[in-house]
Amino acid sequence: MKLRRSTSFWLLAATLALLLFASSAPSPLYVVYQAHWHFSALTLTAVFAVYALALLGALLVAGSVSDHAGRRPTLAIALVLQIVAMLAFAEATGVGWLLFARALQGVATGIAMGSISAALLDLQPPSRPWLGGLIGAVAPMSGLALGALATGLLVDYAPDPTHLVFWLLLGSFAAALGIAVAVPETVKSDGRWRTTLRPRAGVPVHLRQTFAAALPSLAATWALGGLILSLGPSITAQILGSSSHLVGGLSIFLLAGVSAVMSVLIRDVDPRATARGGLVALIAGVSMALTAIVAESTFLFLAGATVCGLGFGPAFAGVFRLLTQQAPPDRRGELVSSVLAVAYIAFSGPALVAGVAVTRVGLRETALVYGGALIAMAALALGLSHRLQTVALPPDEAAVRA
């Protein structure tokens, strides 16, 4: 049985959210694993970063495979890998298991995100050509928010929290696999997918100037996400003195959840104005969070995470919409993969450096320096925002789109 296009669109959006739900689910558990297995902050951020680096590798190597092999088979393979990763998490008995599970999860998520994000653009209603780009940005943020909150609740109130969440996710991904084989195929396989299996990132020529101007905005937003997802629970526990795992997950929930809501509320606003306003809010929110760390105020830290959410979503969604709306159909997967590759370099690299810094100068000092660098990067992005522009398609690519 094949699903209708409109139904498939929303089910694929839910699958994309589920993938990011699973990616943030381990974050509140990091401090639990750290207490059980006695590893350092560097190891903690390595477990976090290996996921993002594996995801980046998958995007660069296989991000455009679905443009040639088809969206449906590419997604099905990714979901099988994701199921194996959830099983590895559920059976983890040490750091080695966590590293393996996170790496495999990263590969699966990278392949799936490129395929689903492109499929959303293929399946979006012709009357709403902006919807695919919007949902492609909102669904991951929604998943990140709910994954951290749900796991925080399970850690505090459910039995066997380090296993239960992953068994539940395994069942959910099995259901998603059934959806993947039932959605309509939007790409005809041309047999050239093997030629794409080499590290590559591609941006259409007419979009390269806009893409370059968007880089600081992508870097600032996702580097903030990397800090909160890797060290946020440690900050609330060690600096702010909170013993609740729910509070650790709450900072992630507020950042990502507010981001998702704001991205929907401002969907009709010009994407350039969206990005500019988001960057201003990002600077204000990070400033509040840094003040909270100095004052050791949990309430102010969570308030800062909320204001950061007002910036994270709009800043990312603005540039994501601006770029994807101008992508030729036959290069959508490649462009989406390039945007996400930049995002995940910023997501993982600075967080890994922060893990090294924590072992040498301490968590508080690392968080303060990291936050200052984020403010500087967001200010640079704001200064370059006037270069974000809509560019006419070249004649050959315009013909392809038509």
Side-chain angles (χ1 to χ4, degrees):
M1 181 187 74
K2 291 295 179 287
L3 298 170
R4 295 172 54 189
R5 289 176 66 91
S6 58
T7 303
S8 298
F9 178 90
W10 292 109
L11 287 175
L12 286 174
T15 302
L16 181 57
L18 180 65
L19 286 160
L20 275 294
F21 181 108
S23 77
S24 68
S27 290
L29 291 171
Y30 287 150
V31 291
V32 178
Y33 290 133
Q34 194 173 20
H36 286 174
W37 298 328
H38 308 291
F39 53 77
S40 68
L42 176 58
T43 302
L44 186 153
T45 52
V47 172
F48 166 81
V50 72
Y51 159 81
L53 293 174
L55 189 151
L56 172 61
L59 283 171
L60 293 177
V61 173
S64 60
V65 164
S66 72
D67 288 337
H68 303 283
R71 312 293 189 214
R72 198 165 59 194
T74 304
L75 177 58
I77 291 171
L79 290 173
V80 170
L81 294 177
Q82 189 79 342
I83 289 171
V84 176
M86 295 302 102
L87 180 61
F89 271 120
E91 295 296 322
T93 56
V95 175
W97 278 91
L98 292 183
L99 289 169
F100 169 75
R102 281 300 263 175
L104 187 59
Q105 183 185 31
V107 171
T109 305
I111 296 172
M113 283 183 72
S115 176
I116 294 177
S117 298
L120 291 175
L121 297 173
D122 298 338
L123 294 170
Q124 65 188 355
S127 60
R128 292 187 285 177
W130 44 265
L131 187 61
L134 174 65
I135 299 302
V138 170
M141 296 176 203
S142 302
L144 285 173
L146 294 174
L149 183 66
T151 306
L153 285 168
L154 289 175
V155 172
D156 280 346
Y157 302 111
D160 201 15
T162 58
H163 299 87
L164 177 60
V165 65
F166 298 113
W167 287 115
L168 293 174
L169 284 169
L170 190 153
S172 300
F173 283 118
L177 182 58
I179 292 171
V181 299
V183 299
E185 182 57 78
T186 58
V187 172
K188 184 178 180 180
S189 176
D190 57 15
R192 290 167 35 204
W193 64 269
R194 292 179 184 85
T195 65
T196 69
L197 293 178
R198 61 182 186 274
R200 61 182 293 176
V203 178
V205 173
H206 72 287
L207 284 177
R208 288 178 183 173
Q209 183 176 349
T210 302
F211 185 83
L215 290 178
S217 181
L218 292 171
T221 51
W222 284 92
L224 172 63
L227 173 66
I228 297 297
L229 265 78
S230 63
L231 295 177
S234 296
I235 290 172
T236 58
Q238 297 178 29
I239 298 178
L240 305 179
S242 174
S243 60
S244 170
H245 297 94
L246 178 59
V247 172
L250 193 58
S251 61
I252 301 170
F253 173 77
L254 290 171
L255 172 69
V258 172
S259 293
V261 172
M262 282 301 299
S263 298
V264 174
L265 292 178
I266 61 174
R267 63 187 180 275
D268 295 326
V269 178
D270 178 78
R272 287 163 293 188
T274 297
R276 292 190 192 105
L279 290 167
V280 172
L282 196 70
I283 291 171
V286 173
S287 300
M288 290 176 63
L290 295 181
T291 303
I293 291 173
V294 173
E296 298 185 1
S297 170
T298 300
F299 175 80
L300 185 58
F301 184 78
L302 295 177
T306 303
V307 176
C308 282
L310 295 174
F312 183 102
F316 174 65
V319 296
F320 189 83
R321 284 166 50 204
L322 188 70
L323 291 168
T324 56
Q325 286 174 7
Q326 303 177 75
D330 65 332
R331 299 194 66 184
R332 283 173 176 166
E334 189 175 341
L335 176 63
V336 168
S337 296
S338 299
V339 172
L340 295 176
V342 172
Y344 276 91
I345 289 173
F347 191 59
S348 59
L352 189 56
V353 172
V356 176
V358 168
T359 63
R360 300 192 175 188
V361 300
L363 181 58
R364 183 191 304 270
E365 291 74 13
T366 299
L368 293 175
V369 172
Y370 197 123
L374 284 176
I375 291 173
M377 182 63 71
L380 173 62
L382 193 59
L384 292 174
S385 61
H386 68 281
R387 296 189 180 183
L388 298 174
Q389 54 189 314
T390 303
V391 185
L393 284 169
D396 56 335
E397 293 188 347
V400 169
R401 170 168 285 194

